Amino acid sequence: METRTITQGARPVRGKQRARPLWRKFFTPYLLVLPAVAVIFGLVIYPLMFSVFSSLHVDDLLYAGIHTYIGLKNYRQVLLDPSFQIAVRNTLVYFVLATIGVLIIGLTISSWLHSIDLKWRGLFLTIVILPWAVPGVVTGLLWSFIYNPTSGILDGVLRSMHLISQNIVWFCHTSMSLVLITVALLWQIVPLSSVILLAGLESIPPTLYEAATVDGCSAVRRFFGITVPLLRPSLAIVLVQTAVLSIGIFDQVYVLTGYDPSTKSAVIQTYLYAFQNLNFGQGISAALLITLGITVIGYLYLRLIYREVAY
Amino acid sequence: MKSKSVIWGMGSLLLVGTISACGSASKTTPAATGYKAGAINRQYAGTTITVLLPPYGAMPQTQLAKFTKETGIKVNLETLAWADIHDKIVTAEAAHISPADVTEVDWSWVGQFSQAGWYTPLNNYIAPKYLANAINRNVFTINNKLIAMPYNFGFKETTINWTDFHKAGITKAPTTWAQVLQDAKILKAKGVVQYPVGFPLSIGESNSTNWYALIKSAGGTLFNSKWDPQFTSPSSPGYQALVFEKKLYQDGLMPPGVVSLHNAQVQSLFASGEIAIALTSGPLFMSSFKNPSTSKVASDHLQIIPLPGNDGQRTGTFGLPEGLGIPELSAHKGAAAEFINWWMEKPQLLLSYNDPNMGNPPPQLDVLNQLAKENKIQDGSEIMSILPTVKPLFSQGTPVWYPQFSTDAATMIQSVVEGHMSVKTGVTTLASEVKQMVQSAP
């Protein structure tokens, strides 16, 4: 077996070089990362650990001074609470609808942006990205004006097109309400997804498509054979982002339908536990369960979809 | 605003425990602070107090400057939306930090705040003359402890637009629910307004409080002394009120959009002339209805009338006052008490009523009487005639589970009026939820 040794003489030494003390050499890297570690520990690790600790104890503001250890009772109560179960069901609907919407609309917009001339792309990209910059509450208010059954734009447009004769109360049906709220959510999250997917599309060398065309591949084949596999890193990021925003949906739901059980999300239920019922133990437990759900879904996305791509 | 507060709040859920260990409550009494109830002097000169109130509680800076000149106490006024103030108080108290030295205390928060022991009893901090004259003081009193001093008084009444009524040929104000239905049908049929009646039906406090108001106006009550629900029987005012609300909505007499509107938004519909009957309005709104810059009906003949009852049984309404409280954790209780006493003086109460951004009806009976006599209060005679019928919603004091009940009630009402649930199912479900709340209450 061939072995290689690197001798000290292999590296040219310029002038006099003072030897650094061993302890300094050893500790310097740790000292350099210490501020970042301290910040992460102080703002993430410790609060998270404390939250887990609190969730295992009585933490009800109406029972001041009582912090008895109760194990997983808070989690059990939250999971068995029909209100939380309904909220989780609603949240899953938002998540599924938002994922489908982002994939279809996001891919369509990014493909369109990718196809247009470079000199126009900047302009359209700016227009597309605008809704992303609008805060969630404003988005909710905007869509509440659109859906308003008395003076809303949507009813007005449909009436002017003679598609309806009387104004429709859009939030009167549960399934319709969930879809309408998802539309408001998509309006906010699709822009960034489109930009991420556009970046992915632009990184695919055009030569691959040219070669495939020469080989006689159809457009559909090129999409599923080249575009989709090479977009996997971008898709994974987009899907994780969609999962985080749709499972954590609050603003749009709160503004459009408030605490309505048929539409309230898991985060709204968490808010109610903590700020309406003043039961922080249950609130923290619900928040941690939601965090766990997002983490698991994010991990699965990265594990199953994300792949390093090299050209 | 809501978004920010929620994100802040959710973050606080994770961070709050971190801070909680650092705080310590300092309990003080008037004797400990050296404050003599009602005194306005320079005892606390140099102190800065923080005051946290909703926008309509924002006393103009020029007036606050007068307080500073008089007492030497500087006032740092923070304004937040009403619901956000609740969240801020909860988060701060959970972290053992005083949310401010003087804060808003709504009547509906009294049960929880009292149980949690977050507010200083003001019995010995407020001048006896102000205590004696305070309207709705009992709403803020639990176990003989006054946890806030009312800075306005609110009650549910009905405001009608006589100009619209006359256009439709109606000459008599409605006194019963049946008459409201009849008048609304005439107003609609004659094309005066498409949707004559306004009543918020979104899932929120304003929806449920209006239902309680109708119950009160029909001589009913929500609970008996043992907290047993009194709204499940079909002949009960609570049941009947739901039937009435459903009929108004289903017959197209209310704008369909009210299912997503809060009270202030419904009052805006009245101000814009889109409705002729603000069924459950409040005296707080009259000044904005009469203000041409905020109302299209300012020149119309508007009138406050008592809430219509059921079959002529019009017995009263309930008070929804807002108060000024001092958190137990405040480090400046004496100065804070001085501020509250100063607010109760006539010039401040008048300004708080007359300022177009505030519009708080004065909660001191002597000031209100004087205003009514001098004809300086909108519909003063009507208000003064309704006032004796204003009672607390809960004679035993607001229960700790009230906020949860309020949300559940609003949810049920919306489902009923939209036809997703029958009245019977709605009231039965709510009654069983109440039983659970009562059982699990501290």
Side-chain angles (χ1 to χ4, degrees):
Chain A
M1 195 168 91
E2 189 185 8
T3 56
R4 287 186 184 180
T5 53
I6 299 172
T7 61
Q8 269 191 320
R11 196 173 166 188
V13 178
R14 290 182 187 163
K16 274 189 179 177
Q17 195 177 47
R18 203 168 54 183
R20 291 164 71 193
L22 195 62
W23 66 268
R24 207 172 150 186
K25 207 171 172 181
F26 180 77
F27 282 114
T28 301
Y30 293 103
L31 283 172
L32 291 173
V33 298
L34 187 62
V37 170
V39 168
I40 291 169
F41 185 82
L43 295 179
V44 180
I45 309 287
Y46 177 68
L48 191 65
M49 285 164 56
F50 200 92
S51 296
V52 173
F53 176 82
S54 292
S55 71
L56 302 174
H57 292 75
V58 172
D59 192 0
D60 190 329
L61 301 184
L62 296 175
Y63 295 87
I66 300 173
H67 295 287
T68 321
Y69 175 77
I70 50 168
L72 296 173
K73 194 177 174 186
N74 278 329
Y75 291 94
R76 201 173 69 235
Q77 283 177 339
V78 166
L79 288 169
L80 293 176
D81 181 3
S83 297
F84 188 73
Q85 291 168 358
I86 292 168
V88 167
R89 185 203 65 192
N90 294 339
T91 307
L92 285 175
V93 174
Y94 294 131
F95 166 63
V96 172
L97 292 178
T99 303
I100 295 167
V102 160
L103 284 178
I104 295 172
I105 305 170
L107 272 172
T108 307
I109 292 176
S110 58
S111 302
W112 170 67
L113 284 170
H114 186 55
S115 68
I116 59 177
D117 196 282
L118 259 180
K119 67 178 177 183
W120 292 109
R121 197 178 295 172
L123 174 70
F124 287 115
L125 195 58
T126 309
I127 294 169
V128 166
I129 201 78
L130 273 179
W132 173 71
V134 178
V137 173
V138 182
T139 305
L141 283 171
L142 186 77
W143 283 91
S144 72
F145 295 141
I146 294 172
Y147 295 144
N148 188 302
T150 310
S151 56
I153 300 166
L154 186 56
D155 275 324
V157 170
L158 293 176
R159 283 183 79 152
S160 67
M161 293 166 75
H162 303 290
L163 292 173
I164 56 171
S165 56
Q166 276 196 323
N167 280 8
I168 294 172
V169 182
W170 295 101
F171 288 105
C172 208
H173 309 286
T174 304
S175 50
M176 175 69 92
S177 303
L178 293 170
V179 173
L180 294 173
I181 290 169
T182 310
V183 169
L185 176 69
L186 282 172
W187 191 76
Q188 196 180 26
I189 62 176
V190 159
L192 186 64
S193 307
S194 303
V195 173
I196 294 169
L197 292 172
L198 177 66
L201 285 174
E202 289 188 341
S203 68
I204 301 173
T207 48
L208 293 176
Y209 291 104
E210 288 162 15
T213 309
V214 170
D215 289 344
C217 289
S218 65
V220 175
R221 184 84 196 274
R222 288 201 297 274
F223 179 76
F224 287 105
I226 299 172
T227 309
V228 172
L230 297 181
L231 263 186
R232 286 174 79 154
S234 305
L235 279 173
I237 293 166
V238 163
L239 288 172
V240 169
Q241 188 218 204
T242 305
V244 170
L245 293 175
S246 59
I247 294 172
I249 185 171
F250 183 96
D251 298 335
Q252 289 86 350
V253 181
Y254 182 83
V255 174
L256 289 169
T257 55
Y259 306 143
D260 187 344
S262 63
T263 54
K264 75 179 168 189
S265 64
V267 179
I268 286 199
Q269 186 56 41
T270 305
Y271 169 79
L272 290 175
Y273 283 138
F275 292 95
Q276 180 186 272
N277 304 351
L278 305 188
N279 192 332
F280 272 52
Q282 286 189 3
I284 292 170
S285 304
L288 288 172
L289 286 171
I290 295 166
T291 309
L292 183 68
I294 293 174
T295 309
V296 169
I297 290 171
Y299 173 78
L300 288 175
Y301 274 149
L302 293 175
R303 187 74 199 245
L304 299 174
I305 297 174
Y306 186 83
R307 293 286 183 277
E308 289 287 347
V309 175
Y311 303 106
Chain B
M1 184 73 82
K2 187 82 231 169
S3 163
K4 273 188 181 173
S5 104
V6 167
I7 291 165
W8 179 67
M10 295 297 288
S12 305
L13 274 180
L14 299 175
L15 277 168
V16 79
T18 314
I19 307 162
S20 64
C22 310
S24 67
S26 62
K27 304 227 175 200
T28 50
T29 60
T33 58
Y35 181 70
K36 189 183 168 197
I40 307 286
N41 51 42
R42 298 190 67 81
Q43 189 180 356
Y44 300 101
T47 309
T48 299
I49 59 167
T50 307
V51 177
L52 178 64
L53 290 171
Y56 49 85
M59 187 71 83
Q61 285 299 332
T62 48
Q63 198 69 10
L64 293 177
K66 287 179 188 170
F67 173 70
T68 304
K69 193 177 174 185
E70 199 178 338
T71 63
I73 300 167
K74 287 182 185 165
V75 178
N76 175 21
L77 180 67
E78 290 178 8
T79 54
L80 272 180
W82 176 82
D84 294 336
I85 291 178
H86 179 264
D87 293 352
K88 178 160 182 173
I89 292 171
V90 170
T91 312
E93 289 288 348
H96 298 294
I97 295 167
S98 182
D101 297 305
V102 177
T103 77
E104 162 91 2
V105 177
D106 187 70
W107 73 274
S108 61
W109 307 342
V110 170
Q112 285 188 333
F113 288 9
S114 171
Q115 171 66 30
W118 289 343
Y119 277 76
T120 309
L122 298 179
N123 308 52
N124 298 319
Y125 275 105
I126 305 297
K129 60 175 176 177
Y130 298 141
L131 289 175
N133 274 310
I135 302 166
N136 282 325
R137 194 188 71 192
N138 47 359
V139 173
F140 292 104
T141 306
I142 290 191
N143 298 328
N144 294 321
K145 289 178 182 171
L146 176 73
I147 70 159
M149 191 65 185
Y151 71 89
N152 65 22
F153 71 87
F155 55 79
K156 294 289 181 183
E157 39 80 351
T158 300
T159 305
I160 58 170
N161 187 327
W162 269 121
T163 308
D164 286 343
F165 270 58
H166 289 144
K167 278 183 202 166
I170 306 166
T171 54
K172 201 178 161 202
T175 56
T176 65
W177 298 344
Q179 283 171 10
V180 171
L181 280 166
Q182 191 184 343
D183 291 349
K185 281 177 185 168
I186 295 169
L187 284 159
K188 191 179 175 83
K190 298 241 169 133
V192 179
V193 276
Q194 190 181 1
Y195 302 109
V197 184
F199 190 97
L201 287 170
S202 64
I203 295 175
E205 182 75 4
S206 50
N207 174 345
S208 48
T209 50
N210 288 338
W211 179 52
Y212 317 149
L214 290 178
I215 294 172
K216 279 276 177 188
S217 76
T221 182
L222 275 167
F223 305 103
N224 64 12
S225 59
K226 292 177 181 172
W227 299 112
D228 295 322
Q230 302 294 297
F231 45 77
T232 50
S233 159
S235 60
S236 66
Y239 194 103
Q240 291 294 321
L242 277 173
V243 173
F244 170 56
E245 287 187 38
K246 185 175 181 177
K247 192 154 183 57
L248 278 172
Y249 187 77
Q250 296 283 339
D251 288 358
L253 301 172
M254 286 203 267
V258 290
V259 289
S260 58
L261 296 185
H262 296 292
N263 201 34
Q265 294 164 310
V266 169
Q267 306 313 315
S268 299
L269 291 180
F270 187 85
S272 62
E274 291 178 57
I275 56 174
I277 306 170
L279 191 58
T280 46
S281 190
L284 196 71
F285 294 104
M286 199 41 145
S287 57
S288 67
F289 292 157
K290 287 287 188 185
N291 185 348
S293 64
T294 54
S295 169
K296 288 181 185 171
V297 295
S299 58
D300 286 6
H301 180 197
L302 313 178
Q303 192 188 358
I304 287 175
I305 61 166
L307 281 168
N310 194 17
D311 298 332
Q313 292 183 38
R314 195 162 62 174
T315 55
T317 181
F318 74 98
L320 307 97
E322 288 163 273
L324 301 168
I326 304 175
E328 274 289 0
L329 296 169
S330 165
H332 307 293
K333 287 183 182 171
E338 198 163 345
F339 178 77
I340 295 175
N341 279 293
W342 172 79
W343 190 301
M344 295 303 132
E345 291 178 349
K346 192 178 170 186
Q348 281 68 252
L349 291 179
L350 289 179
L351 182 70
S352 173
Y353 174 62
N354 291 320
D355 188 288
N357 298 318
M358 300 180 79
N360 298 295
Q364 292 283 308
L365 197 56
D366 56 338
V367 178
L368 193 64
N369 275 328
Q370 192 183 332
L371 280 172
K373 271 184 198 164
E374 293 169 1
N375 211 18
K376 286 183 179 170
I377 192 160
Q378 301 279 0
D379 281 339
S381 57
E382 285 82 2
I383 289 175
M384 296 309 287
S385 70
I386 295 171
L387 213 50
T389 70
V390 179
K391 303 279 185 246
L393 181 60
F394 305 107
S395 53
Q396 318 89 308
T398 311
V400 290
W401 40 264
Y402 173 76
Q404 195 181 344
F405 168 74
S406 178
T407 303
D408 289 352
T411 305
M412 179 274 290
I413 295 164
Q414 196 192 63
S415 295
V416 167
V417 296
E418 287 185 332
H420 301 313
M421 191 186 270
S422 69
V423 175
K424 190 169 179 56
T425 310
V427 292
T428 310
T429 308
L430 186 63
S432 67
E433 285 166 353
V434 168
K435 278 180 187 164
Q436 284 179 2
M437 289 177 212
V438 173
Q439 279 168 3
S440 58

